């Protein structure tokens, strides 16, 4: 079977500034020189398989941007299961046994487990073996054999991940594969933002390929503006939402996928079937913590149109834009704020 493969680096959300004329992200630089503050630094780097932009306004911005990137790179080196030396790789190799891990890795895994609970297992950090069968994470992608898929699904159960804070160790069941791809990017952004908040920056922004978190407001005192992409047209913005000291994350079926016989198979897997979740095209979550937004966007996507919206409504402090092939829903708390281009 031949599969057409596509990996999109830039996805989901774009930043709009100063009247909305400029699309931000990996396509354009984002601060027109005429609007630059005295001490503004913005810079990009590839991390987590995506372009990460950091912009900081304030004293020592250049040094801070450097620190943020160094921190994010350090965390990627701990969390990626595609880096053999990472702690997550060690945990996967040691499946069945306790494996030592640093406090931040334990934090992320604990948050992942909590997100599993909060979403009744729609979000499951032990989905790795199923993703491997589909080939997400490698260059070769395929529709897996049913039997193999059933066997891989039997290894998926976040409730069996154990964290021992005192011993600083994690244990996953033998055969299970930890995959933090649905939450690590948001978590890493949250750690970058924490550095900027501690340094008391008035204004800063991190955009990790559409996982966006902002501190404060734009230079003109108005909220940042984020464009939510049309799932079918990478260059079209469907909605614009203001962002004020918040985070926004999008999960979409157009971000990583391959097509076989006209069917699109994407990277967000329903843990109850082992197949890509059907029903939605994209889910955008707005909230305080980018790591939580990241996990929730994946979970709502898995849950689909009815249950996904119900999940958003029952989570405090979480707003959403949910887009299906034929419909779109903006949660009540966002309805007033969202506009169309
Ligand atoms: P996102 O783009 O944030 O929705 O995350 C998608 C990524 O999360 C995938 O590339 C996988 O690494 C991982 N993933 C896929 N399905 C799930 C799931 N049901 N629960 C947790 N992580 C998942
Ligand atoms: Mg996610």
């Amino acid at each position: 079977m031949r599969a057409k493969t596509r990996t999109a680096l830039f996805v989901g959300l774009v930043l709009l500034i100063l009247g909305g004329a400029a699309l931000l992200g990996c396509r354009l630089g984002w601060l027109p020189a005429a609007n630059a503050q005295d001490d503004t630094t913005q810079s990009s780097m590839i991390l987590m398989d995506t372009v990460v932009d950091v912009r900081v306004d304030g004293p020592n911005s250049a040094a801070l941007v450097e620190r943020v990137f160094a921190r994010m790179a350090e965390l990627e080196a701990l969390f990626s299961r595609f880096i053999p030396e990472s702690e997550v790789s060690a945990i996967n190799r040691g499946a069945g046994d306790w494996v030592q891990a640093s406090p931040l890795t334990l934090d992320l895994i604990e948050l992942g487990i909590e997100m599993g609970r909060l979403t009744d297992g729609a979000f499951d950090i032990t989905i790795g073996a199923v993703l491997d069968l589909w080939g997400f994470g490698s260059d070769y992608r395929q529709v897996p054999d049913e039997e193999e898929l059933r066997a891989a699904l039997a290894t998926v159960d976040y409730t069996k991940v154990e964290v021992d804070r005192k011993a600083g160790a994690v244990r996953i069941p033998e055969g299970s594969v930890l995959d933090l791809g649905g939450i690590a990017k948001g978590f890493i952004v949250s750690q970058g933002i924490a550095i900027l908040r501690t340094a008391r920056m008035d204004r800063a922004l991190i955009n990790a390929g559409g996982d966006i978190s902002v501190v404060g407001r734009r230079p003109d005192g108005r909220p940042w503006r984020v464009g939510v992409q049309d799932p079918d047209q990478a260059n079209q913005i469907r909605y614009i939402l203001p962002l004020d000291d918040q985070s926004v994350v999008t999960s979409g079926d157009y971000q990583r996928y391959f097509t076989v016989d006209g069917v699109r198979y994407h990277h967000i897997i329903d843990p109850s079937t082992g197949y890509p979740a059907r029903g939605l095209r994209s889910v955008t979550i707005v909230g305080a913590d980018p790591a939580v937004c990241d996990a929730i966007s994946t979970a709502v996507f898995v849950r689909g149109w009815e249950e996904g919206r119900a999940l958003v409504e029952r989570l405090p402090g979480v707003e959403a834009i949910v887009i299906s092939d034929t419909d779109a829903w903006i949660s009540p708390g966002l309805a007033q704020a969202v506009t169309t281009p």
Side-chain angles (χ1 to χ4, degrees), residues 45 59 83 91 161 164 190 222 254 272 278 286 300 319 333:
M45 188 178 167
I83 297 175
I91 293 164
V161 176
D164 183 337
S190 77
R222 294 165 57 191
Y254 50 87
S272 68
R278 296 292 177 208
V286 181
V300 171
E319 301 295 340

Side-chain angles (χ1 to χ4, degrees), residues 162-190:
E162 299 165 278
V163 175
D164 183 337
R165 296 290 324 196
K166 260 207 203 112
V170 186
R171 179 164 69 178
I172 62 170
E174 208 177 333
S176 289
V177 180
L178 206 58
D179 180 288
L180 300 171
I183 189 170
K185 214 164 25 154
F187 187 84
I188 288 172
V189 169
S190 77

Side-chain angles (χ1 to χ4, degrees), residues 55 203 205 214-218 222-225 241-243:
R55 174 221 163 116
R203 173 169 36 256
L205 181 159
V214 301
V215 174
R217 292 185 156 203
R218 302 191 309 193
R222 294 165 57 191
W224 302 93
R225 282 151 49 90
L241 57 92
L243 207 61

